[in-house]
Each structure stands twice: as structure tokens, then as C-alpha cells.
Amino acid sequence: MSSSTAAPAPPAAKALLGRKDLMRVLSLLDTDGEEARVVGGALRNALLGRPVGEFDIATTAEPEAVIARAKAAKLKSVPTGLAHGTVMLLVEGEPFEVTTLREDIETDGRHAKVRFSRDFAADAKRRDFTMNALSMTRDATLYDYVGGLADIEARRLRFIGDPVSRIREDYLRILRFFRFAAAYAEGPLDPEALLACLREREGLARLSRERVRGELMKLLAAPRAGEVTGEFSETGLLGALLGCAPNPRRLVNLLRFAEGGAPDPLLGLAALCVNLPEDAERLRGRLRLSNPEAQRLVEAATAFASLHGLEKPPAAASLLRLIFRSGKRAACDALALMQAENSENAAAWREALASARAAPELRLPFSGTDLLARGVPDGKAIGEALRDLQTRWIEAGFPQDKRRLAELLDAAAAAAKK
Ligand code: ATP
Ligand code: MG
């Protein structure tokens, strides 16, 4: 290990060691002939000034030893990924992912065969990007084997080693490249990496739909989602994954117009590639969306398609009809998509969206029982009277007050009994 790779950790990284739970895990594993360090995302985020999520710990101790030490210290351990050397330790409910140092002995583009090792440098080099490969000991020494610190300071995302070979080991890294660029980097994408992603694009077909979905959703939730998705689309790779020509401009606009924080990634996905309910169905298959997710997209697409071609937003009465027909959530989703699509008229669509958000959920406030109670005979007549009542209620502008509702009921019952 060359001494130039080890240096006192910058204050932002060192500050992590102020956490008692983290120190407890490190001390437990960093003793009696074993070593342990904080690695990966937590260090990267601390140095970028971003919120730190879960801690990943790398250790020379093998999983059984980690479990035994946890047990002796009365810490709960969960064997979350024993086969690849990961044990989760819980300290007062806070999870720490502890992974034994590894080296790849064989890769097939998806899975790696690993063997445990005691070499922190080798463990760093099998990681994907330089900014993900730092490690720090509990005495605040930062190890940087691949120039990660300088890249973090420059907000530069680079593969460790030759991008083409690294992608061939694991094609998910193509998606991770765009995801991390959107989340943590600034400026143009690394041209060499971009070229490697293009060269190796055939490999994307080998990834499981769950993994594609996971990376894509994280990409859509990242601060530079719009910009990076644009570049991703230009490569042709995104379209191939989604099975359509993506519309990054609409996503950029959706993100730009979003008030009160970023919209959720699912709506971003809709902006990117949903125009019709069929598109939502296709994505359900391609990305293994859950039923509620697919349903939301289908409903949004249906409402969106019903607005298609409008030059200006529907007036108040039609807006209420849209909410009644589609449900409030789908109506709001569709209006946000319309705003993103018609950016030249964004202010008007924003107003419509704001009134839809402020409107109540519109459900028919009557049932057959109300009509029965007014003497409408049971059977076919009830169904017809209920439809008539619904039309009257819609035409009256969805009133909610009791007196007006009673009048409508009386009128519909009288008409049914004629
Ligand atoms: P996030 O905040 O998004 O969770 P993270 O850096 O923790 O960021 P993970 O996907 O949780 O990202 O991975 C943890 C670490 O494991 C990464 O920082 C990276 O060093 C390494 N890693 C994860 N996936 C891969 C991969 N496919 N190839 C190489 N290294 C990887
Ligand atoms: Mg993580």
C-alpha cells in the first residue's frame, strides 16, 4: 500500500466518526487481528455535503466472525447476503451493512463469483466508480486508491479502470453510470465512459427487469434527472430499455414546473414515455411495475389522453368532470403532464393544476338505497334512475350541500316514477 493513498480524512468525512453507533460497529470489528472501515456511499455523500443514508462497512473479518462478534456484543445481526459476504448489524434499530473484503474471481456480466480477501486496495478496485471507492478507518485516515477524492471535489464521475472492461463484468454499471451522474456529478458526462456504454449496449438485454427498474427509478429521483435522461435518450439506450422513443423534454419541463419539491419518479416516468394507457401496460411488463404503480400510470394516461390536443386548460366545470371521471390523483397527474407538454402555456396549466389540487375528491354522494327510500321500484328502474341522478348531479356542478342533494334526489325519483 503506497503511503500517498492514505491521508487524514477531510473534516466532513471525519465528522461521521462522531456517531456512536458507527464507532461501536467499527470498534467491534477493527480489533484482534481484523480491520474494518467505512466505505462507499456514506463517505461520498458526507464529502459532497449530501445527507448520509445507510453505512456500508468493509472488513477483513469473515461473515461467521462478524456474526460471532455481534453476538458477543449483544448486537442483532441479520444474514442479508451471506453468499456474497454481507451481514447486517443493527445498533439501536440503525442498520449497518457489513461486507467482508472481496475479490472477483469470475464475472459473467451479471453475477460475480467472489472470494474473501484481506486487501482493502483490491476491494476498492472492484467497485464501480472512483467516487464510490474511498474508505476510512476509525482513527480518521482516509484511503483513496483510485483518485476518488479529487473526482468528488470536481463532481466528476469516472469508472475505475477501463470502462469497457468494467461494464463487461456487470452490465448494470451502464445504468449506474447514468444514475450516479444524475445524482452526484456536474458538467458533461465522461466521454470515454459514454462511448463504452454505447459499445456495450447489447449487454443491457441480459439484466433482470427488477434491476433495470431499480436503477431507473433512482435516476428519475436524482437532482439532474432531466438533463442526464436527455443524454441517455440520445444514446438510444433508454428507448431500447423502455420500448419507446422517450420524451426527455417533457420530463425536463415536469421537473422544472414542479412546486414543493421533485415530483415522484413514477410521474417522471410517465412524462418520459407515457402517452396512452398501452404505454403504461408496456412499462408494467418491462419494468415489473407493481399493480398500484401500473394502475396509477394507466389512470394518468387515460386522463392525459382525454386532454390531448387541448390548446388551453379546461374551464372550471370541465375540470370537475375530469376529476369525477378520472379520480383526483389521475386528473392532477394528467394536468401536470399537460403543463410539461405545453410549456409555452405553462402558467394557465399551472392554474388548472392548482384548482384540481384544491378540489375535493368527487364521488357520487347517492346510492340506490336513497332512491328506494323515495319509492323508486327495485330492479332495472333503480339502475336507470341512478344514472339519471348522476347526470343531474354532474350538470348541477357536483353540489355537496344537503338541501341541493335532496332536491336532485326528489327530481330523479319523480322522473323514474312517471
Ligand atoms: P446509494 O446512496 O444510492 O445507496 P451507494 O454508493 O450506497 O449509493 P449502492 O448501490 O448501495 O450505492 O452500493 C454500495 C457500494 O457498493 C457502492 O458505493 C459501490 O462502491 C459498490 N457497488 C454497488 N454496486 C456495484 C456494482 N454493480 N459494481 C461495482 N461496485 C458496486
Ligand atoms: Mg447504498
Side-chain angles (χ1 to χ4, degrees):
M1 190 187 311
S2 92
S3 60
S4 64
T5 59
K14 190 174 174 181
L16 293 175
L17 300 170
R19 285 191 48 161
K20 286 214 176 64
D21 47 2
L22 173 64
M23 280 308 260
R24 198 163 157 207
V25 175
L26 287 176
S27 330
L28 181 72
L29 300 168
D30 190 33
T31 175
D32 294 333
E34 303 293 0
E35 275 185 75
R37 297 182 192 168
V38 189
V39 289
L43 274 179
R44 176 199 64 221
N45 284 18
L47 289 163
L48 286 168
R50 297 288 187 87
V52 170
E54 267 185 27
F55 281 96
D56 291 308
I57 311 292
T59 180
T60 53
E62 295 203 4
E64 297 73 43
V66 174
I67 293 170
R69 286 185 184 210
K71 197 169 172 202
K74 299 204 162 44
L75 288 182
K76 190 172 157 54
S77 65
V78 189
T80 42
L82 267 195
H84 46 268
T86 304
V87 177
M88 189 172 79
L89 298 189
L90 286 162
V91 186
E92 284 156 25
E94 195 67 33
F96 291 83
E97 288 257 308
V98 179
T99 305
T100 307
L101 296 181
R102 293 173 297 187
E103 279 168 48
D104 293 339
I105 44 178
E106 217 181 287
T107 55
D108 68 355
R110 274 172 298 184
H111 314 286
K113 248 196 210 146
V114 296
R115 74 165 160 241
F116 296 140
S117 104
R118 302 188 63 84
D119 182 350
F120 277 96
D123 186 79
K125 285 177 188 152
R126 66 176 287 285
R127 293 174 186 272
D128 42 13
F129 306 108
T130 58
M131 62 165 65
N132 287 346
L134 295 168
S135 60
M136 180 173 71
T137 57
R138 65 178 159 133
D139 65 4
T141 304
L142 188 78
Y143 288 86
D144 181 7
Y145 304 100
V146 293
L149 191 55
D151 283 346
I152 286 178
E153 277 159 8
R155 307 288 191 266
R156 191 165 54 209
L157 184 70
R158 277 196 308 134
F159 276 98
I160 298 170
D162 168 47
V164 168
S165 336
R166 299 312 311 282
I167 290 171
R168 282 188 188 157
E169 291 167 5
D170 178 1
Y171 291 102
L172 191 69
R173 290 175 188 158
I174 294 180
L175 296 182
R176 289 175 66 86
F177 174 69
F178 290 101
R179 191 250 283 195
F180 281 95
Y184 304 113
E186 285 173 10
L189 303 182
D190 176 30
E192 197 198 342
L194 201 52
L195 189 61
C197 291
L198 268 174
R199 283 230 166 97
E200 295 305 315
R201 64 185 152 201
E202 299 291 309
L204 285 176
R206 301 167 55 175
L207 298 174
S208 79
R209 291 179 275 185
E210 288 79 1
R211 294 184 88 193
V212 171
R213 174 227 153 83
E215 288 299 328
L216 206 56
M217 289 301 185
K218 285 183 182 164
L219 164 55
L220 289 169
R224 285 211 304 168
E227 190 183 334
V228 171
T229 304
E231 297 225 35
F232 200 2
S233 300
E234 275 172 33
T235 61
L237 300 184
L238 186 59
L241 280 173
L242 298 171
C244 69
N247 187 341
R249 191 189 67 91
R250 202 162 62 194
L251 174 64
V252 168
N253 287 338
L254 181 86
L255 299 168
R256 185 152 61 98
F257 297 139
E259 285 156 34
D264 66 289
L266 201 59
L267 190 57
L269 185 65
L272 195 59
C273 58
V274 174
N275 289 301
L276 298 169
E278 298 88 284
D279 298 324
E281 289 297 349
R282 192 186 58 246
L283 288 176
R284 176 208 293 268
R286 290 219 168 212
L287 301 178
R288 285 264 156 85
L289 298 181
S290 68
N291 286 336
E293 286 170 334
Q295 196 184 341
R296 174 162 176 204
L297 288 188
V298 168
E299 287 170 4
T302 309
F304 181 51
S306 79
L307 296 172
H308 195 82
L310 286 188
E311 275 172 18
K312 54 184 181 34
S318 327
L319 209 53
L320 289 177
R321 283 174 202 223
L322 176 71
I323 293 174
F324 178 64
R325 228 180 26 239
S326 314
K328 185 170 156 174
R329 187 186 61 188
C332 290
D333 285 350
L335 290 166
L337 292 173
M338 284 304 280
Q339 184 192 27
E341 173 121 339
N342 300 288
S343 55
E344 63 293 338
N345 209 357
W349 286 99
R350 189 176 88 205
E351 232 172 82
L353 180 56
S355 23
R357 284 196 179 126
E361 189 71 77
L362 295 175
R363 286 201 191 86
L364 192 65
F366 314 100
S367 71
T369 328
D370 300 313
L371 290 162
L372 279 173
R374 280 172 169 75
V376 178
D378 205 352
K380 205 168 134 231
I382 286 288
E384 277 168 19
L386 205 52
R387 269 191 298 282
D388 172 45
L389 179 57
Q390 174 171 319
T391 310
R392 288 168 191 267
W393 183 61
I394 294 172
E395 275 169 6
F398 307 95
Q400 306 285 334
D401 62 296
K402 283 216 175 80
R403 196 181 53 83
R404 196 69 193 98
L405 292 177
E407 280 169 16
L408 289 170
L409 258 175
D410 290 342
K417 284 189 286 185
K418 249 187 218 157

